[in-house]
Amino acid sequence: MPADRGQGPTISEVAAEAGVGRATAARTLGGYGYVSPELRARVLAAAEKLGYRANALARSMSTGVSHTLGVIVADIGNPFFAGLLRGISDTARARGFDVIVLSTYENLQQEIAATNVLIDKRVDGVIVSSAALDRDQVAHIRAAMDRGIPVVLVDRAVAALDLDAVVIDNRDAAREAVEVLIAAGHRRIGFVWGPPVAQPPSTRRELLAAASASLWTDGERLRGYLDALDDAHIPFDPELVMAGPKTEERVVGEVGRMLALPDRVTAVFCTETDGMTGSLRALRKAGLSYPDDVALIGFDDSAWAAVMDPPLTMIAQPVHQLGAKAAEVLLDILGGAEPARTMHTLRSQLIQRASVAAPPE
């Protein structure tokens, strides 16, 4: 009997038990090269008898394949990313791949560190929801690609990277939501949230320039808001666009400011969950209610939005499909498909409930 080193049996011990050479056992257990059916069966039987468990890192070093995908997202505690990860893992598992997940909290330095971890782990491919904004911030992603690791973007595109990106129709979704508010009679429509800049833009040009330097999703949703205003010939008012830090507390203050304007907002379009919760707090603080005093529409539908009283009108993103499609694209590339280097756009759905009504007289 081999000595118990607390590490389990080795390939050499499995080979001895099966009566074959070490190279034959290694090829069988590593899943590469040719081994006759008879010898393969003997090795697998010996491995089962001894309780052998392959060392994934060692196997990847010998075969170049780890059957592992790396995933980098902003916040695994966020319900949106949790649903996206479920889609990725379900699809990966069905095709024999494991998933390593790292969270960055929208911090580029943490994203760089996470990418280096995945490179060191020898993952076969990476799916990333990147916080990078321009070509000066993507060296870590290019480093992975230079090592032969394919990368697929999810949830957001990065203009400096010519890669496959799996996203939703952010601009069209925002436009549709604001059109619903306009159809109800609203013209003073707040946008929460806008670009995270220290100085709020005072012109449309400044606003679009700031949006171009922000996360892709933020910019697309802002453009959809402006599209709807333009189509209805409603003048853009910079006072109705929140700018600054993207926090719930900031939303409370900014929506409170919009409610205190002489010609106050009568509707608010929220592009994130924290934007909606902050808006609800601001209404309560001002002694107002929705939809009678202020109409509300938000992004990222969830169970809590449906049980609010009244229930909230929300944009539902196909989060599981988003993750599944990203994994599918990456796995196809790993299987030999040529990268399409295109935007794979999925449709969202506006779930109309009871948070929109005509503006007060």
Side-chain angles (χ1 to χ4, degrees):
M1 290 290 289
D4 183 2
R5 296 177 301 278
Q7 298 296 323
T10 66
I11 289 179
S12 296
E13 291 163 352
V14 172
E17 178 69 25
V20 301
R22 189 185 185 285
T24 298
R27 288 197 299 274
T28 301
L29 298 172
Y32 65 94
Y34 174 77
V35 179
S36 71
E38 177 189 352
L39 293 183
R40 182 179 300 278
R42 282 164 55 185
V43 171
L44 293 177
E48 183 176 0
K49 177 180 177 181
L50 296 178
Y52 174 84
R53 186 175 185 275
N55 182 308
L57 179 58
R59 182 173 61 195
S60 72
M61 293 176 70
S62 62
T63 67
V65 178
S66 66
H67 286 93
T68 304
L69 305 183
V71 181
I72 302 173
V73 296
D75 183 3
I76 57 176
N78 183 309
F80 169 82
F81 287 111
L84 185 146
L85 289 170
R86 175 65 67 85
I88 292 173
S89 61
D90 287 349
T91 303
R93 188 182 305 112
R95 292 174 62 170
F97 281 73
D98 294 322
V99 175
I100 298 174
V101 181
L102 296 169
S103 195
T104 66
Y105 307 101
E106 303 286 15
N107 182 294
L108 185 62
Q109 293 307 310
Q110 290 195 38
E111 179 179 318
I112 293 170
T115 304
N116 290 334
V117 167
L118 295 178
I119 291 173
D120 291 343
K121 293 289 186 183
R122 297 176 180 266
V123 298
D124 296 323
V126 172
I127 297 171
V128 56
S129 180
S130 181
L133 302 178
D134 57 45
R135 66 181 65 256
D136 295 330
Q137 299 180 340
V138 298
H140 58 296
I141 295 177
R142 295 195 187 282
M145 296 164 60
D146 289 344
R147 291 172 179 256
I149 301 174
V151 177
V152 170
L153 304 174
V154 69
D155 178 48
R156 57 192 70 159
V158 179
L161 293 171
D162 184 23
L163 295 174
D164 284 276
V166 181
V167 300
I168 71 152
D169 54 339
N170 286 280
R171 187 167 182 168
D172 288 344
R175 179 195 292 116
E176 181 184 3
V178 177
E179 286 174 347
V180 167
L181 295 170
I182 293 170
H186 295 276
R187 295 180 64 83
R188 300 289 290 169
I189 302 170
F191 182 86
V192 175
W193 45 53
V197 291
Q199 183 64 35
S202 59
T203 67
R204 184 189 182 104
R205 176 176 293 183
E206 289 179 0
L207 180 64
L208 288 173
S212 295
S214 302
L215 290 177
W216 180 82
T217 47
D218 292 348
E220 287 294 285
R221 293 171 189 183
L222 176 60
R223 291 182 182 90
Y225 164 81
L226 294 174
D227 289 343
L229 296 184
D230 290 345
D231 291 344
H233 306 291
I234 297 174
F236 162 68
D237 184 350
E239 292 281 359
L240 301 187
V241 175
M242 170 187 157
K246 296 164 66 173
T247 66
E248 185 176 316
E249 290 302 323
R250 176 73 175 186
V251 174
V252 174
E254 282 292 285
V255 173
R257 177 187 60 76
M258 296 178 197
L259 291 170
L261 292 171
D263 188 10
R264 73 168 181 83
V265 292
T266 62
V268 177
F269 172 51
C270 308
T271 64
E272 300 282 352
T273 298
D274 286 351
M276 176 60 81
T277 54
S279 296
L280 290 169
R281 286 176 56 195
L283 290 184
R284 186 179 303 115
K285 187 175 181 179
L288 301 175
S289 63
Y290 73 94
D292 295 335
D293 298 312
V294 178
L296 295 173
I297 296 182
F299 246 94
D300 294 340
D301 188 37
S302 60
W304 69 265
V307 299
M308 289 290 290
D309 186 20
L312 296 166
T313 293
M314 302 286 281
I315 295 169
Q317 300 192 66
V319 288
H320 189 278
Q321 291 174 258
L322 201 65
K325 181 64 176 178
E328 178 185 312
V329 170
L330 181 57
L331 290 167
D332 285 349
I333 293 172
L334 291 172
E338 191 69 22
R341 303 185 187 281
T342 191
M343 201 93 73
H344 305 265
T345 305
L346 305 185
R347 289 286 300 171
S348 59
Q349 182 182 6
L350 182 65
I351 309 296
Q352 297 203 43
R353 296 192 178 104
S355 60
V356 177
E361 294 292 337

